[in-house]
Amino acid sequence: MADNAALVNALKDAGLLTEPRLERAFRAVPRHLFLPQVPPEQVYSDQAIAIKQGADGTVISSSSQPSMMAHMLNQLRLTEGCNVLEIGTGSGYNAALMQHIVGDLGKVTTIELDKELAMHAENHLADAGMRAVNVVHGDGALGYAPRAAYDRIIASVGVWDVLKMWVRQLKPDGLLVAPIWWNAFQLSAAFTPSGDGTLTSRKNTLCNFVVLRGGIGTPSLSVRLGTTPLWLDSSEAARIDTARLHALLSYDAEREHLSVPLTFNEMWSSFIPYLVLNTPPDFVFAKYQVRDSEQHPYGIEGMGFALLARGSACFIPLNGNGVIYYYGSADSFMATEDALKGWNAAKRPKLDQLRLRLIPKERGEPEIRAGKLYPRRDHTLHVWFEDETT
């Protein structure tokens, strides 16, 4: 039978509830109180649940996957008495868990852009006996100065940058957790501030959240190939010539195998991060997804990643064990093979070796010896592997 105890036990078996305060919070706060219209078997499964969609069917708010919530709350390292700010209230479930952890001496403020969602969340929190949570209807990009400074700030939405306003409202010894965009992906990062104004994260996990909306949002990262259900996500989406790519994909694909077969886990948690950091400058790295399982545009289905260049494109399914499909010249295939050789030579660095640093823009572009730099609104994002010289 689907219930809260079964969900919590599953999270505990997965090693996500080793902190007693966190386990007690998950046991004390039933998720169904925040999703009253959702069937219990769905509520108490480990999946994200959409709670509001836009006119075009795009999900604009959801109740996050419980295992990802547990992971991010582990990153946040809450203690009793903490003053916490959450960006993106959603259903209110995450705010309730945090209020239980920080206790009567702590404070939780959560900001929601959507007035209707803020009102519903306030009602859900009251039903759960969590009236101490302060729900604010407003633009989370601005933070919430009246209750600053905060020991912890957490964003429950995907962000393009950690905004200056959040950093100003964070205590010097505070911690800020946010899903930050990195090329075609989001990384749940736990940033700690330094005295020189930089923020560094040593613990990062791939994730997927709805994006921050409001006055300061996220640039367009997705392109659609014509009227097909094939979508490409990339921080360099503006470089993708969809008409030229459509013409290229209209030819038959060549089917090959990478010289080293890769499992889903090897692909997702090791090779892809390495390839993102080592994509040649004349190529675009992208994540692809066919958003209609009944259609196979250009012979492509499911999801995976792509390497695109003028006159060449390769698509590698995540579950293909190293199968690769390339169109046009073999340049994209050979570039992927070169990256694979480099990955092996680098002893297959894993995602847990990935490090992030945010450097304030006013400090100018930093000099680096490894990794890549990504310009953002207020910062330059530096991403590298720990075993490399920085």
Side-chain angles (χ1 to χ4, degrees):
M1 180 180 176
D3 60 17
N4 193 56
L7 174 62
V8 175
N9 290 340
L11 296 177
K12 188 172 183 179
D13 290 343
L16 292 168
L17 300 180
T18 55
E19 167 55 52
R21 285 192 187 92
L22 187 56
E23 180 182 348
R24 288 196 293 269
F26 269 97
R27 292 198 184 279
V29 183
R31 194 185 188 201
H32 71 265
L33 295 178
F34 299 85
L35 299 164
Q37 307 303 320
V38 181
E41 59 271 15
Q42 189 177 359
V43 169
Y44 290 113
S45 62
D46 186 28
Q47 61 177 298
I49 297 173
I51 58 176
K52 188 161 188 175
Q53 295 176 304
D56 61 353
T58 303
V59 176
I60 59 176
S61 185
S62 66
S63 176
S64 302
Q65 184 179 11
S67 58
M68 180 52 65
M69 293 173 65
H71 174 79
M72 292 180 71
L73 291 174
N74 277 314
Q75 288 181 302
L76 198 60
R77 302 203 306 267
L78 291 174
T79 58
E80 190 172 0
C82 273
N83 182 22
V84 188
L85 173 66
E86 179 185 38
I87 312 298
T89 308
S91 70
Y93 180 44
N94 197 56
L97 293 170
M98 293 192 294
Q99 185 64 61
H100 189 279
I101 296 170
V102 302
D104 294 338
L105 299 177
K107 294 188 291 187
V108 174
T109 302
T110 180
I111 306 178
E112 176 54 56
L113 181 67
D114 188 290
K115 186 175 183 178
E116 182 184 29
L117 287 177
M119 180 186 67
H120 288 321
E122 204 161 20
N123 292 336
H124 299 332
L125 287 160
D127 292 341
M130 294 289 174
R131 295 179 182 273
V133 174
N134 183 31
V135 180
V136 177
H137 169 229
D139 190 344
L142 304 176
Y144 189 68
R147 278 194 164 188
Y150 297 98
D151 298 290
R152 304 287 188 269
I153 296 177
I154 183 170
S156 300
V157 289
V159 300
W160 183 242
D161 193 7
V162 170
L163 302 174
K164 276 186 177 180
M165 196 66 72
W166 300 350
V167 180
R168 289 174 187 159
Q169 295 176 17
L170 183 68
K171 291 182 180 178
D173 61 348
L175 188 60
L176 191 153
V177 173
I180 190 165
W181 279 98
W182 172 51
N183 198 287
F185 305 99
Q186 292 174 22
L187 291 166
S188 176
F191 289 105
T192 55
S194 302
D196 62 0
T198 63
L199 299 109
T200 304
S201 176
R202 302 181 62 83
K203 296 182 180 296
N204 310 287
T205 299
L206 287 166
C207 60
N208 187 31
F209 282 78
V210 297
V211 299
L212 176 70
R213 298 181 295 142
I216 304 172
T218 303
S220 177
L221 303 173
S222 297
V223 294
R224 182 182 183 184
L225 266 292
T227 59
T228 76
L230 175 61
W231 288 79
L232 296 164
D233 295 333
S234 175
S235 61
E236 298 182 298
R239 288 179 57 194
I240 300 175
D241 185 330
T242 55
R244 191 183 296 275
L245 183 58
H246 164 75
L248 183 64
L249 298 184
S250 297
Y251 292 95
D252 291 338
E254 296 290 334
R255 186 177 187 272
E256 294 285 351
H257 282 82
L258 294 174
S259 56
V260 178
L262 297 175
T263 65
F264 176 90
N265 188 57
E266 288 173 327
M267 187 89 75
W268 188 250
S269 65
S270 185
F271 179 59
I272 286 178
Y274 180 87
L275 180 58
V276 171
L277 286 182
N278 292 276
T279 299
D282 50 340
F283 286 81
V284 172
F285 176 93
K287 179 178 66 175
Y288 76 83
Q289 182 179 13
V290 178
R291 299 184 183 178
D292 184 340
S293 60
E294 301 299 317
Q295 296 187 49
H296 302 156
Y298 316 106
I300 298 168
E301 57 185 300
M303 65 181 296
F305 65 92
L307 209 58
L308 312 173
R310 186 181 181 90
S312 181
C314 71
F315 288 76
I316 306 177
L318 278 175
N319 290 311
N321 293 317
V323 170
I324 185 168
Y325 302 90
Y326 71 87
Y327 300 77
S329 78
D331 290 354
S332 55
F333 172 51
M334 297 308 296
T336 306
E337 273 291 307
D338 289 343
L340 192 62
K341 292 174 184 175
W343 174 68
N344 270 315
K347 299 181 180 178
R348 302 187 175 194
K350 293 182 171 57
L351 189 63
D352 59 10
Q353 296 171 251
L354 202 67
R355 305 292 182 255
L356 309 183
R357 182 184 293 122
L358 287 166
I359 303 106
K361 278 282 187 70
E362 57 265 25
R363 293 184 57 184
E365 185 169 310
E367 293 184 5
I368 60 170
R369 296 184 180 179
K372 278 189 177 181
L373 296 174
Y374 301 85
R376 295 293 186 260
R377 175 189 166 87
D378 295 331
H379 300 88
T380 299
L381 174 64
H382 178 203
V383 185
W384 76 99
F385 282 110
E386 174 74 355
D387 59 346
E388 297 182 298
T389 303
T390 59

